[in-house]
């Protein structure tokens, strides 16, 4: 495959960094000084030797032609992906000043590239063959039945604990402390209902957390009760809502919708971690279908998730939606082009809406999924504005605004957004929910490129 994409920007490269320290260290290596024998190929490979503290330089190679995101190999001992050397090499390549000329890969880079692409072809070839788990449908059915029974037992126990809480009064939640909630969450884990366990842990963090916490606790208890009842009565629900309930409880489904082929713009990417598992959320926008979909990727034991798509790149691929009413999650399917910067950034971004329309869209989404914390939306022509110690995004052409979530107000991305705006309207993509709006990516007025905010 011949690499047809343009060079990435420095911001797109730095968006790949696993943390702030790697971003800073990689930036220092983005000059020609520490590098030797750097080069790139027509197949989307970048390589180079980086001088380190030892006598032997680090061998660094990056495959940028993979639609799932760049892949990295470095002889340094770092466990971060990408390491600072890979970031520095990509920054050097993105500079486009001749420091990374076109050429033939050295043997050590060619061997790694060929090996990983052969493995990828093998995985794709094996994708249509039945797995061991599906080879015996009767055994799979029995496993599913046993798990459903365990979840039902857990949901029934949780209903009793919620009833005890309300019977004793919400003040008892503060007196009991977090230990009771953690023990209840552990019981839900034993019942193989991780979705229920996660919501129980969120309940445990509410008592005495903020002023008016009893109201929040009551609201969250009601939503958890609704989810419990949805599971216990799932046979009576419409199929779309039943699939949503299964997903919210924690049953992993499989994509079952017809693949949608489109040119997808990477709108945003960010990671969350619970200490055991890192979850990467990547939002895509289809230029022809006008659809926004969510890709999820996971990394365990401190490792970064495999899927790594820089914000602002576009690529052509199939995505298949997961079941569930109002669900936006999709799986990345066959890839037709490698990721590359959009030739016309302003033409590929989603059309913006007003803050009032954004709130209405979130309300409509709640009808299909009452447990939805937020909904993706692009705001057009908004101005970040301070208000009583917090921030909001105000419509430049109207009298409405959306408050930013408290977490968004404390992130460095807020000041990046304020600097990008400079008091002028900007287009902002983010997640709109009951806590406010979380900005994830912004574009200046005109034909400017996407600026990640997270």
């Amino acid at each position: 495959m011949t690499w047809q994409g343009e060079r990435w920007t420095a911001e797109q490269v730095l968006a790949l960094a696993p943390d702030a320290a790697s971003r800073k260290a990689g930036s220092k290596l983005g000059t020609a000084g520490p590098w030797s024998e750097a080069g790139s190929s027509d197949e989307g490979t970048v390589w180079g030797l980086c001088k380190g503290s030892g006598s032997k330089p680090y061998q660094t190679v990056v495959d940028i032609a993979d639609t799932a995101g760049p892949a990295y190999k470095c002889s340094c001992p770092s466990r971060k992906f990408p390491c600072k050397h890979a970031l520095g090499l990509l920054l050097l390549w993105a500079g486009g000043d001749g420091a990374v000329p076109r050429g033939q890969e050295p043997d050590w880079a060619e061997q790694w590239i060929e090996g990983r692409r052969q493995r990828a072809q093998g995985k794709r070839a094996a994708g249509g063959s039945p797995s061991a788990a599906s080879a015996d449908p009767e055994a799979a059915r029995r496993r599913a039945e046993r798990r459903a029974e365990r979840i039902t037992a857990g949901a029934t126990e949780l209903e009793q604990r919620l009833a005890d809480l309300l019977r004793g009064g919400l003040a008892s939640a503060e007196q009991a402390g977090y230990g009771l909630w953690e023990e209840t969450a552990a019981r839900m884990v034993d019942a193989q209902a991780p979705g229920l366990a996660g919501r129980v842990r969120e309940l445990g963090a509410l008592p005495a957390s903020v002023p008016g916490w009893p109201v929040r606790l009551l609201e969250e208890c009601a939503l958890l009760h609704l989810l419990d009842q949805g599971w216990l009565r799932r046979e009576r629900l419409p199929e779309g809502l039943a699939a949503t309930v299964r997903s919210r409880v924690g049953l992993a489904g499989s994509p079952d919708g017809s693949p949608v082929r489109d040119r997808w713009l990477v709108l945003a990417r960010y990671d969350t971690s619970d200490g055991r598992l890192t979850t990467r959320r990547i939002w895509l926008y289809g230029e022809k279908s006008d659809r926004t979909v969510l890709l999820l990727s996971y990394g365990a034991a401190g490792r970064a998730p495999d899927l790594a798509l820089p914000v602002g790149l576009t690529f052509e691929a199939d995505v298949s939606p997961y079941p569930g009413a109002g669900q936006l999650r999709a799986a990345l399917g066959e890839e037709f082009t490698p990721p590359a910067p959009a030739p016309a950034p302003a033409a590929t971004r989603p059309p913006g809406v007003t803050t009032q329309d954004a709130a209405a869209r979130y309300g409509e989404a709640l009808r299909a999924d009452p447990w939805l914390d937020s909904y993706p939306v692009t705001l057009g022509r908004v101005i970040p504005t301070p208000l009583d110690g917090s921030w909001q995004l105000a419509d430049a052409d109207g009298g409405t605004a959306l408050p930013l979530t408290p977490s968004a107000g404390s992130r460095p991305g807020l000041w990046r957004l304020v600097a990008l705006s400079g008091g002028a309207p900007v287009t902002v993509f983010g997640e709109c929910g009951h806590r406010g709006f979380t900005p994830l990516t912004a574009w200046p007025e005109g034909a400017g490129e996407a600026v990640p905010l997270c």
Side-chain angles (χ1 to χ4, degrees), residues 50-358:
C50 186
K51 180 177 176 56
S53 56
S55 59
K56 188 175 181 180
Y58 297 122
Q59 297 177 337
T60 308
V61 57
V62 183
D63 181 6
I64 57 177
D66 193 334
T67 307
Y72 321 94
K73 174 69 173 179
C74 186
S75 59
C76 75
S78 174
R79 295 186 178 182
K80 296 181 179 181
F81 293 92
C83 66
K84 63 181 181 180
H85 306 101
L87 289 171
L89 178 61
L90 285 176
L91 287 171
L92 189 66
W93 168 74
D97 57 0
V100 185
R102 292 291 179 94
Q104 177 64 42
E105 302 104 326
D107 291 342
W108 55 269
E110 184 178 15
Q111 290 174 4
W112 178 75
I113 287 291
E114 288 300 319
R116 74 174 305 275
R117 290 181 179 174
Q118 287 176 6
R119 289 191 295 272
Q121 291 176 356
K123 289 181 179 179
R124 286 193 291 268
S129 61
S131 65
S134 61
D136 187 350
E138 181 60 25
R141 183 189 64 80
R142 290 195 299 268
R143 286 193 297 271
E145 287 181 350
R146 288 194 296 269
R147 182 172 184 185
E149 291 172 357
R150 285 192 285 268
I151 295 176
T152 297
T156 302
E157 178 182 345
L158 184 55
E159 281 292 278
Q160 183 60 52
R161 298 202 176 197
L162 290 175
D164 292 343
L165 170 65
L166 297 179
R167 188 179 300 112
L170 295 180
S172 63
E174 184 177 8
Q175 299 168 359
Y178 188 74
L180 175 63
W181 298 102
E182 183 58 37
E183 189 269 336
T184 303
R187 295 283 295 170
M188 296 305 104
V189 172
D190 293 340
Q192 293 186 287
L196 294 180
R199 300 193 80 92
V200 167
R201 290 192 178 97
E202 291 178 4
L203 285 181
L206 285 177
S209 60
V210 293
W213 65 264
V215 176
R216 284 284 314 281
L217 181 61
L218 184 59
E219 292 172 347
E220 294 300 324
C221 284
L223 285 172
L224 186 52
H225 167 70
L226 183 65
L227 183 56
D228 273 343
Q229 291 298 315
W231 171 263
L232 296 174
R233 292 169 171 79
R234 61 193 180 280
E235 293 84 1
R236 308 178 194 177
L237 300 178
E239 177 51 37
L241 183 56
T244 298
V245 168
R246 290 193 293 268
S247 173
R248 292 298 181 185
V249 164
L251 279 176
S254 300
D256 65 351
S258 300
V260 178
R261 179 170 178 173
D262 206 336
R263 175 162 288 278
W264 300 95
L265 169 67
V266 184
L267 281 175
R269 191 195 83 180
Y270 66 94
D271 295 348
T272 58
S273 177
D274 61 3
R276 298 179 296 272
L277 187 71
T278 298
T279 302
R280 175 163 293 166
R281 299 165 66 88
I282 298 179
W283 288 107
L284 304 179
Y285 172 72
E287 298 175 17
K288 298 177 182 177
S289 62
D290 192 29
R291 295 179 61 166
T292 303
V293 299
L294 174 65
L295 305 181
L296 293 180
S297 181
Y298 302 95
R303 295 183 65 88
D306 291 333
L307 196 59
L309 292 168
V311 173
L313 300 189
T314 63
F315 62 98
E316 189 172 348
D318 282 340
V319 300
S320 299
Y322 277 74
Q327 299 300 295
L328 298 179
R329 185 184 175 188
L332 186 61
E334 186 176 356
E335 308 147 7
F336 303 104
T337 64
T348 57
R349 73 181 65 162
V353 301
T354 65
T355 57
Q356 187 173 2
D357 289 338

Side-chain angles (χ1 to χ4, degrees), residues 425-443:
V426 290
T427 299
V428 184
F429 170 78
E431 297 173 348
C432 180
H434 60 90
R435 298 183 181 90
F437 186 87
T438 301
L440 300 175
T441 306
W443 298 263

